[in-house]
Amino acid sequence: MDFRLLEYIVKIAEENNITKASEKLFISQSALNQQLLKLEQELGTRLFHRSRTNWHLTEAGKIYVEGARDALKIKHDTYTRIQDICDSKTGTLTIGLTHGRGIYMFASLYPELHSRYPGLDLRPVEMNVYKQQEAIVQGSIDMGFLALSREQRTSDCYENLISEEMVLALPASHPAAGSANPPGRPLAVINLDLIKDTPFVLLFKESSLHEIVDNAFKEAGFEPSLLFETSNTVSILMMVQSTYCCGVVPYFYSRKYPEGVVYFALPGHPCWDLAISYRKDIYLSSAARDFIELAKEYWENQKG
């Protein structure tokens, strides 16, 4: 069995485009196309419907890719088990990371993980929560660092790191800012009527936070006036600091950007979990298990 060919076909299916797939695989498009044509000739059927901008699987292609992913998973698990038995401290570990905090955490954990596994090929990949969930199912990442509510979880495994509340960020010059509790005390709950005319900067719709914030406002019977949406939580706080608007951010960020901003708890105290997720049927290498334990220690320290 040619595992490299399996990887080629799976990558084309993931990218829905042979040009993008060839770039990710670091081979020429013509060479990749030749491999695909040879396989289709061998099978006696096409695996992809072709167009200039979008390749998608035929029924035969869906069957082939499903089998290819199963075969690649067996290979991955087999090699990983053998490497653990031999204590070789090698192999590959691909970890999905959310933008912002995922990189903060990875930068803190990398030195220790690298010292334990100097031969490990550690591959961090930044992507949003929903993309990570797809990649975990497809097997293109081994595990993901996610921030999401319990309702947003899939049927995969989730190891909880911490639970975290969403908080309202308000400019210190806002009239409602005077009702904030002083630092060191629990956050006061904001009366949303006080900010109903204040524009909001929120995370974009593809973020798992957007759904949680939407539900919180619906329960409060409050529809925020939207100034704009962003993919970066830090951008929200920069806008709150410099303009007359407010935003909703995870509590973690409230400790890093205090200047010119006051924070309130939201009615109902909406929250989410930071978690590590992976497929139920995957073998976790010793490096993967160590990464999870290091992540738990990291976030336990962050709580303090």
Side-chain angles (χ1 to χ4, degrees):
M1 181 178 291
D2 187 347
F3 285 103
R4 185 175 58 178
L5 180 57
L6 300 182
E7 291 171 352
Y8 288 173
I9 305 306
V10 168
K11 183 57 68 176
I12 298 172
E14 288 175 354
E15 298 295 331
N16 292 319
N17 184 291
I18 194 168
T19 302
K20 292 181 180 177
S22 65
E23 291 171 356
K24 295 284 180 69
L25 292 165
F26 302 104
I27 63 172
S28 69
Q29 180 179 333
S30 61
L32 182 57
N33 193 50
Q34 286 175 9
Q35 292 278 354
L36 172 60
L37 291 173
K38 182 180 177 182
L39 175 62
E40 288 179 330
Q41 186 176 13
E42 178 186 328
L43 295 172
T45 185
R46 285 202 162 195
L47 299 181
F48 293 92
H49 297 291
R50 276 94 154 159
S51 74
R52 278 190 60 195
T53 57
N54 181 37
W55 286 40
H56 58 279
L57 291 166
T58 63
E59 287 303 310
K62 291 176 184 177
I63 294 171
Y64 186 91
V65 168
E66 181 182 357
R69 284 180 173 145
D70 288 344
L72 290 170
K73 177 190 171 297
I74 292 171
K75 177 195 173 188
H76 174 277
D77 286 2
T78 301
Y79 279 45
T80 303
R81 287 174 184 270
I82 292 171
Q83 286 159 358
D84 277 358
I85 289 172
C86 297
D87 197 25
S88 63
K89 301 190 183 300
T90 59
T92 301
L93 181 61
T94 306
I95 303 172
L97 300 169
T98 54
H99 303 280
R101 277 191 299 183
I103 296 301
Y104 287 142
M105 177 191 70
F106 182 80
S108 295
L109 303 188
Y110 178 78
E112 176 60 25
L113 199 65
H114 179 66
S115 70
R116 296 185 190 183
Y117 301 90
L120 179 68
D121 181 6
L122 193 57
R123 301 177 183 177
V125 183
E126 274 192 293
M127 56 178 73
N128 70 36
V129 166
Y130 301 123
K131 291 291 185 183
Q132 285 194 53
Q133 288 175 324
E134 291 176 13
I136 288 168
V137 171
Q138 293 172 351
S140 54
I141 62 175
D142 298 307
M143 58 174 58
F145 168 71
L146 313 174
L148 72 177
S149 69
R150 297 297 171 105
E151 292 73 27
Q152 292 169 324
R153 294 186 177 193
T154 60
S155 59
D156 296 308
C157 289
Y158 288 84
E159 298 212 23
N160 205 48
L161 303 173
I162 59 168
S163 293
E164 179 182 42
E165 190 169 337
M166 302 300 114
V167 298
L168 178 82
L170 200 63
S173 58
H174 193 284
S179 58
N181 283 339
R185 290 185 56 192
L187 297 181
V189 178
I190 186 73
N191 178 354
L192 292 178
D193 287 338
L194 298 176
I195 56 169
K196 63 183 180 182
D197 297 322
T198 306
F200 274 75
V201 179
L202 299 172
L203 283 181
F204 64 151
K205 289 182 173 62
E206 289 76 12
S207 163
S208 54
L209 179 61
H210 192 283
E211 184 180 343
I212 297 169
V213 173
D214 253 8
N215 291 336
F217 285 130
K218 284 176 184 175
E219 289 177 12
F222 174 80
E223 176 121 13
S225 171
L226 188 63
L227 180 62
F228 74 90
E229 294 179 334
T230 176
S231 62
N232 193 328
T233 305
V234 175
S235 296
I236 295 176
L237 293 172
M238 290 174 63
M239 288 297 297
V240 173
Q241 284 177 318
S242 61
T243 63
Y244 197 72
C245 66
C246 54
V248 178
V249 298
Y251 178 72
F252 171 86
Y253 289 93
S254 71
R255 298 188 300 164
K256 289 186 170 290
Y257 298 89
E259 187 177 346
V261 181
V262 296
Y263 295 94
F264 290 88
L266 287 164
H269 299 276
C271 64
W272 64 4
D273 296 327
L274 303 187
I276 300 287
S277 179
Y278 51 89
R279 279 174 55 166
K280 285 182 177 178
D281 58 351
I282 198 170
Y283 173 78
L284 280 182
S285 66
S286 58
R289 293 193 297 270
D290 278 2
F291 180 83
I292 293 172
E293 292 308 310
L294 288 170
K296 288 179 178 178
E297 291 173 14
Y298 173 85
W299 288 108
E300 190 62 34
N301 291 335
Q302 292 297 311
K303 283 168 60 177

